[in-house]
Amino acid sequence: MIPYGRQDISQADIDAVIEVLTSDYLTQGPRVPAFEAAVAAHVGAKHGIAVNSATSALHIACMALGLGQGGLLWTSPVTFVASSNCGLYCGADVDFVDIDPATYNMSVAALTAKLQAAEAAGRLPDIVVPVHLAGQSCDMAAIGALAQRYGFRVIEDASHAIGGHYNGTFVGDCAHSDIAIFSFHPVKIVTTAEGGMAMTNDADLAQKMDYLRSHGVTRNPDLMSHSDGPWYYQMIDLGYNYRMTEMQAALGLSQMDRLDAFVARRQELARQYDVKLAHLSLTLPHQDHATKSAFHLYIIRLQNGNHKSVFEALRADGIGVNLHYIPVHLQPYYQRLGFRAGDFPQAEAYYAEAISIPLYAGLTDADQDQVVAALERAL
């Protein structure tokens, strides 16, 4: 079976983890801050806060921005459930903005119309979470301008997009957002086995996320009401145990050495797919002129209404295709919150046609040819 995604672990990665296992620190040592600094330097952000998953990063990002009971978070319906669940964790309400039919990212036109209606109704969102699906950035300049106009905060869910570009700079530099989130799950571009990171240019937000990931506890004298001695710490907020381990950070640091090569290979494979699949009745990924996708995923859309049969045929043929994602508003939990089929037509049309085919740095040209041949047979 050729999987849709797969980690790429080198001997250098293994040696980096072994070095930690034989050191004095397994958690809360020097590798975590070194990894944070490496990612921040690469993408051009001032601060990185490493945590045990991108879900945790989304949660503490919402908390740091003050989202709570009575608040409102909007995101895309075509994403993993964590992008919206982070709002529910804070006791806020959640709603969605339909996708652009070309990029599959949050539609700026739909967002603008929804904001105008929300302003008239007297309930604007506190936070908007645009999702950079498949590694292609949303139109962040437009979303940032709307944030200024309507007064909401922005968290970029860039879980797919480390190494991608928007308007000539790296995704994650927070030029048009308050916080950006990366994921380091094994199928992502860089892995720490499990893990995530919140990027920000705001020192106060970085400080809040720092203690929120560690039980709300601090040893920073500037944040404590008093000190009883050098052993002293204070719990100043209700935080969580979301810390990243030294082993994870060591793996991430080693992987960062190959980030550019990983992305370059993914982009090369995507270009090859563009050529090799051009003769088939498929809609291939669209690239906005302002973006350079990191290509976490290569998503095709079928044009002949045979979605399930093609998906099943590819799986039977040894091609580990997947679907990213079932629109969140169609999940039973969200249906119980009042969402219904028909609420977001573009997202539902996408779901009826989309398939993610194999794309990862270790995919060989021969593997790719197998994928193309299987698609030809399935169609």
Side-chain angles (χ1 to χ4, degrees):
M1 179 74 75
I2 300 174
Y4 83 86
R6 191 178 190 281
Q7 69 272 15
D8 188 309
I9 302 298
S10 69
Q11 188 60 49
D13 296 336
I14 295 168
D15 292 343
V17 174
I18 291 173
E19 185 178 351
V20 170
L21 289 170
T22 59
S23 75
D24 292 333
Y25 298 98
L26 297 185
T27 63
Q28 296 178 278
R31 266 76 168 192
V32 171
F35 181 42
E36 292 170 335
V39 175
H42 191 95
V43 304
K46 291 182 180 178
H47 308 279
I49 307 299
V51 289
N52 58 6
S53 72
T55 302
S56 300
L58 284 163
H59 186 193
I60 62 172
C62 288
M63 293 177 69
L65 290 172
L67 188 67
Q69 293 286 340
L72 179 59
L73 179 146
W74 291 358
T75 189
S76 168
V78 178
T79 184
F80 188 56
V81 294
S83 306
S84 54
N85 286 354
C86 60
L88 301 182
Y89 297 156
C90 295
D93 295 326
V94 168
D95 202 351
F96 302 95
V97 179
D98 213 349
I99 64 168
D100 180 275
T103 66
Y104 317 143
N105 286 331
M106 182 180 286
S107 165
V108 171
L111 176 60
T112 302
K114 196 175 182 92
L115 286 166
Q116 290 169 347
E119 184 177 46
R123 197 182 184 207
L124 287 161
D126 299 283
I127 294 174
V128 171
V129 182
V131 179
H132 304 324
L133 188 72
Q136 179 173 208
S137 176
C138 296
D139 186 351
M140 290 309 304
I143 293 171
L146 289 170
Q148 292 293 318
R149 164 70 178 82
Y150 289 98
F152 58 84
R153 311 299 289 272
V154 179
I155 301 172
E156 298 175 68
D157 187 340
S159 294
H160 295 182
I162 191 169
H165 287 79
Y166 174 73
N167 279 341
T169 63
F170 279 110
V171 172
D173 67 355
C174 300
H176 305 286
S177 65
D178 299 282
I179 299 168
I181 306 300
F182 291 133
S183 171
F184 306 122
H185 183 275
V187 297
K188 298 303 195 300
I189 296 163
V190 165
T191 187
T192 59
E194 280 281 6
M197 192 176 294
M199 318 307 300
T200 186
N201 294 324
D202 187 313
D204 289 338
L205 290 176
Q207 185 178 70
K208 288 178 184 177
M209 291 188 288
D210 182 30
Y211 62 70
L212 286 169
R213 70 173 166 181
S214 189
H215 305 280
V217 167
T218 185
R219 294 179 182 273
N220 184 341
D222 294 335
L223 299 177
M224 295 191 296
S225 60
H226 68 281
S227 176
D228 293 342
W231 65 87
Y232 196 67
Y233 60 85
Q234 282 187 345
M235 178 180 161
I236 60 173
D237 207 337
L238 181 61
Y240 297 83
N241 184 5
Y242 285 167
R243 294 188 299 264
M244 176 177 280
T245 69
E246 283 288 280
M247 293 170 287
Q248 291 171 302
L251 176 56
L253 265 173
S254 181
Q255 290 259 304
M256 284 296 293
D257 290 339
R258 292 183 289 152
L259 171 59
D260 291 341
F262 286 158
V263 173
R265 176 57 178 163
R266 287 171 176 271
Q267 291 169 340
E268 179 185 27
L269 287 164
R271 288 192 296 270
Q272 291 175 182
Y273 269 139
D274 289 345
V275 173
K276 293 177 180 182
L277 299 178
H279 66 292
L280 299 177
S281 296
L282 300 169
T283 300
L284 304 181
H286 167 80
Q287 287 297 292
D288 185 86
H289 72 279
T291 69
K292 188 176 180 182
S293 178
F295 275 106
H296 166 55
L297 301 171
Y298 190 94
I299 299 170
I300 59 173
R301 287 181 68 167
L302 306 182
Q303 298 174 357
N304 297 322
N306 52 353
H307 188 232
K308 185 178 180 182
S309 62
V310 171
F311 190 98
E312 290 174 340
L314 289 168
R315 284 275 183 96
D317 213 359
I319 309 301
V321 292
N322 215 323
L323 200 161
H324 300 88
Y325 294 93
I326 303 168
V328 180
H329 72 285
L330 299 181
Q331 295 290 349
Y333 184 91
Y334 280 85
Q335 298 262 295
R336 292 195 295 272
L337 296 179
F339 295 100
R340 294 288 179 265
D343 285 347
F344 304 100
Q346 291 293 343
E348 292 170 34
Y350 165 91
Y351 174 54
E353 299 174 350
I355 297 177
S356 299
I357 64 176
L359 182 67
Y360 49 94
L363 188 74
T364 67
D365 289 352
D367 290 337
Q368 188 177 47
D369 288 338
Q370 278 188 249
V371 175
V372 173
L375 261 170
E376 290 172 336
R377 288 190 292 272
L379 290 169

